[in-house]
Amino acid sequence: MTFDDGAGQAPWVGPFDLFRIGVGPSSSHTVGPMIAAAHFASLLPSDVEQVMAELYGSLALTGRGHATDTAVLLGLTGACPHDLDPDDAAAVAADIHVRRRILLPSGQEIAFDPASDIAFHPREVLPLHPNGLRFSSRGPGGPFVRTYYSVGGGFVVDDKGQPLSGSVRSAAPIPYPFAHAADLLRQANAAQLSIAELVRANESAANPGRDLSAGLSEIWAAMRACVARGLVAEGILPGGLRVRRRAPSLLQRLRARAENELDPLGAMDWVNLWALAVNEENAAGGRVVTAPTNGAAGIVPAVLHYYDRFIPGASRSGIETFLLTAAAVGAIIKRNASLSGAEMGCQGEVGSACSMAAAGLAAALGGTNAQVENAAEIGLEHNLGLTCDPVAGLVQVPCIERNAIASVKAINAARLALHGDGSHLVSLDQAVATMRQTGRDMSHKYKETSLGGLAVNVVEC
């Protein structure tokens, strides 16, 4: 789903819109609903007597597996995904379930029973997007109702399709506006800028008071912290599938290799490890960086770790170049298709992240703008048609392994592009348009509903 600023122009979507620190397991089903609930709670009068939340479409079909109901509870208390402590959040949610009362941001405590005050409507889809949710309240002033849509990547819009205040941060004029990859390349080349330099100029103009390098450093630190937690956390992931965390044992095997052991594909094992670590943390509801979604959150960090560890001369500047370039690609995909698994299938999540990571790596390795665009196109093209069919509605199977596979694919896409001169038959814009058309044609069973694919056959088998 695309949106504009009301004047037909897309507001600037920058690196801090596409890379957000939050919590798992889903940007569209956890982070977005929490943001929507917090926004609704901030509008409530101080004398409100009752609050109810209703989840529609994909949010209802896979909401329990994605912890959407818990996200709504936390949002109604005023919780924000960016600074939420997952351990504290679990205690707050448990308290609401036990006492059947909720403390609103105003300081007022009202009766709230999650079993009856959060309703699931799996067979009903609201008009603008499969991820719809509606909040209502009652009080002396009469009923109060607001409808929201969680459109992917933690972005939330209202019932008119307009982003919430803070959901897209700025509509300020920028020096190099672009809607498509062709626009981006034309402007960058005319100004003799790299894609990363162009994005830096736009972000600085849109948010002149922000330290861009410090913000990117915070994102990279959060990604590293997520990997570090995933490498040591052991046990069974929540949800009932009995999926065991594999990252800690894989780390032990990689460390146990003899120093003189030669494995031409050894780097691939490490890339797989880093992706697994992130997505196992995400599945457990831990702190992750939405990149550009939670379901695909392991790909950009895994490829960045590959750059940082295996590329001679890797630098902080290269990491910034990676993230800025990846953000440009993510903005193009969001503008012209969607990042939402409920709208596009997994091509919109893993496909987008693979494309972004491929472009970022190609740029960090010194690729030309044309080579970077080629890398992004390869990463997206070879994820076209990818379905979103999470078993039991959990972001575990096939999601965790899918991130590992796509991380390696992103590296391969960058390498293929760097071995060429940037010329290629299929453009990134054509690949994005194809993804949009494919998503529209795809049966709803394969778009984050858990009504088809592995979600059905694994259970039946």
Side-chain angles (χ1 to χ4, degrees):
M1 176 182 181
T2 61
F3 52 85
D4 58 41
D5 62 3
Q9 299 295 318
W12 168 242
V13 177
F16 305 113
D17 300 303
L18 291 155
F19 301 122
R20 306 183 189 202
I21 301 172
V23 294
S26 171
S27 51
S28 60
H29 286 57
T30 313
V31 174
M34 190 183 302
I35 292 171
H39 185 269
F40 178 77
S42 72
L43 303 176
L44 290 174
S46 59
D47 57 355
V48 64
E49 297 172 350
Q50 183 183 30
V51 172
M52 184 171 182
E54 297 176 272
L55 309 177
Y56 295 86
S58 179
L59 290 183
L61 285 163
T62 63
R64 289 186 174 88
H66 287 75
T68 307
D69 45 355
T70 300
V72 165
L73 292 181
L74 296 170
L76 289 175
T77 70
C80 170
H82 179 83
D83 54 18
L84 184 69
D85 184 307
D87 294 331
D88 292 344
V92 170
D95 180 71
I96 296 171
H97 278 277
V98 171
R99 296 197 306 118
R100 298 179 185 176
R101 298 188 66 79
I102 191 167
L103 181 64
L104 300 173
S106 63
Q108 181 185 9
E109 187 176 79
I110 63 172
F112 188 91
D113 184 356
S116 58
D117 292 328
I118 300 179
F120 293 77
H121 304 295
R123 291 183 174 84
E124 186 175 352
V125 178
L126 296 182
L128 296 187
H129 194 277
N131 291 337
L133 61 166
R134 180 173 289 147
F135 295 93
S136 58
S137 69
R138 290 192 306 167
F144 178 66
V145 181
R146 285 290 185 275
T147 300
Y148 303 91
Y149 297 89
S150 179
V151 298
F155 290 86
V156 180
V157 301
D158 62 20
D159 59 353
K160 298 180 178 60
Q162 297 302 306
L164 299 189
S165 174
S167 182
V168 172
R169 295 172 300 105
S170 177
I174 54 176
Y176 305 106
F178 61 90
H180 301 88
D183 305 330
L184 176 63
L185 290 176
R186 183 173 57 254
Q187 294 206 68
N189 293 337
Q192 296 185 318
L193 297 173
S194 70
I195 290 173
E197 289 168 339
L198 183 148
V199 173
R200 183 182 291 275
N202 281 354
E203 180 66 21
S204 297
N207 296 280
R210 179 159 196 168
D211 186 331
L212 179 56
S213 291
L216 294 174
S217 180
E218 181 185 14
I219 294 298
W220 175 225
M223 288 179 176
R224 296 198 314 271
C226 182
V227 168
R229 289 191 305 271
L231 292 179
V232 298
E234 298 181 339
I236 303 296
L237 294 173
L241 289 181
R242 305 292 298 170
V243 173
R244 181 174 295 278
R245 289 180 182 251
R246 288 182 286 174
S249 60
L250 177 55
L251 176 63
Q252 292 176 5
R253 286 195 294 274
L254 294 182
R255 285 177 171 172
R257 282 178 172 168
E259 291 186 5
N260 61 353
E261 180 181 345
L262 179 63
D263 182 352
L265 297 179
M268 183 188 298
D269 291 334
W270 285 97
V271 173
N272 287 332
L273 170 68
W274 295 319
L276 292 176
V278 171
N279 285 87
E280 287 172 354
E281 270 298 292
N282 179 63
R287 285 185 76 74
V288 301
V289 176
T290 300
T293 68
N294 283 28
I299 298 166
V300 167
V303 179
L304 259 177
H305 274 75
Y306 165 80
Y307 167 78
D308 190 49
R309 174 156 179 172
F310 288 103
I311 301 301
S315 64
R316 175 177 175 176
S317 175
I319 290 169
E320 290 190 8
T321 293
F322 186 118
L323 291 172
L324 291 169
T325 304
V329 172
I332 290 167
I333 296 173
K334 176 171 177 54
R335 170 66 173 168
N336 297 287
S338 174
L339 306 174
S340 169
E343 198 171 12
M344 291 287 112
C346 203
Q347 60 175 354
E349 297 199 37
V350 162
S352 297
C354 182
S355 179
M356 292 166 64
L361 180 60
L365 294 178
T368 66
N369 290 342
Q371 289 172 321
V372 168
E373 187 265 352
N374 188 15
E377 183 277 323
I378 295 171
L380 184 60
E381 178 184 348
H382 300 290
N383 282 286
L384 291 175
L386 192 62
T387 59
C388 183
D389 50 355
V391 176
L394 300 168
V395 190
Q396 297 178 19
V397 180
C399 318
I400 295 172
E401 284 184 356
R402 186 168 284 173
N403 274 253
I405 298 299
S407 298
V408 175
K409 186 182 292 187
I411 296 170
N412 196 28
R415 292 175 65 89
L416 276 172
L418 291 173
H419 283 300
D421 62 4
S423 60
H424 51 289
L425 182 63
V426 180
S427 71
L428 176 59
D429 287 330
Q430 290 169 330
V432 172
T434 302
M435 184 177 82
R436 182 183 67 246
Q437 294 160 2
T438 303
R440 289 175 176 174
D441 291 341
M442 188 182 292
S443 168
H444 75 282
K445 293 190 299 182
Y446 304 112
K447 294 194 285 188
E448 209 165 4
T449 60
S450 290
L451 296 176
L454 287 175
V456 173
N457 289 307
V458 169
V459 174
E460 291 179 345
C461 294

